[in-house]
Amino acid sequence: MAKEGRWEFCERVNNTAAAMIFACTPENRVLLVEEFRPPVGRRCLCFPAGLVGDGNPESAAAAATRELEEETGYTAARMEFLFSGPSSPGLTSEMISFFRASGLSRISQGGGVDGENITVHEVPMDSINSWLAQKENEGVLVDARIYAGIYFLQH
């Protein structure tokens, strides 16, 4: 935790950057991950994402490729940088780079590393909104960035 004047915010000890990957399979299925998040005490849905340089120096694009593979079991032929910005500017100094992955092929089951216990979902694009509403009704929290990702996957 850091404090600057009246502001209290979080800073990571060894990292200030993350990458999030908007990905859709060749069958037009959106790749989402679900995992328990201690800060909110619930399971959450999100696009695959993770820290840049998580253990080793790497570029944001390399982190995006690594995180996509670790979390979903898919690799991408292309990783297109879209934009970057603060992940939550009132809460943390962390910056996040967003990528669109394409040319996907499955190389493993995914699920994360080191006990992350990630559930991978492949959701048909044409039913994504109703599927997300169903998950919310089940008590799963939906990361708001999912809606930005859907926009970029459709355009």
Side-chain angles (χ1 to χ4, degrees):
M1 290 295 295
K3 187 168 183 170
E4 189 172 310
R6 294 181 55 202
W7 280 96
E8 294 179 340
F9 54 96
C10 301
E11 289 189 320
R12 292 190 188 274
V13 176
N14 296 318
N15 194 301
T16 60
M20 181 172 281
I21 307 94
F22 304 147
C24 197
T25 69
E27 298 80 27
N28 208 29
R29 294 165 107 36
V30 179
L31 292 181
L32 297 174
V33 294
E34 180 180 335
E35 64 185 306
F36 181 80
R37 292 299 195 175
V40 293
R42 306 245 301 269
R43 294 195 61 80
C44 296
L45 280 169
C46 190
F47 275 100
L51 298 176
V52 174
D54 197 9
N56 296 303
E58 65 186 341
S59 68
T65 300
R66 176 181 51 77
E67 290 291 347
L68 180 67
E69 292 176 6
E70 288 175 1
E71 293 190 0
T72 70
Y74 279 86
T75 191
R78 290 170 303 287
M79 191 64 71
E80 174 191 2
F81 173 78
L82 298 170
F83 63 97
S84 65
S87 63
S88 182
L91 177 65
T92 180
S93 58
E94 179 181 78
M95 298 295 285
I96 188 163
S97 295
F98 294 87
F99 293 85
R100 178 174 31 216
S102 58
L104 300 183
S105 57
R106 182 157 229 162
I107 59 170
S108 74
Q109 291 302 306
V113 295
D114 299 327
E116 285 180 309
N117 196 26
I118 292 171
T119 301
V120 180
H121 297 285
E122 297 183 24
V123 186
M125 180 65 83
D126 61 2
S127 62
I128 188 75
N129 290 323
S130 61
W131 187 87
L132 289 170
Q134 175 187 338
K135 292 300 279 186
E136 282 185 291
N137 287 336
E138 294 170 6
V140 177
L141 297 177
V142 176
D143 186 317
R145 294 172 290 195
I146 286 178
Y147 298 100
I150 291 168
Y151 172 84
F152 279 101
L153 290 173
Q154 291 177 333
H155 295 89

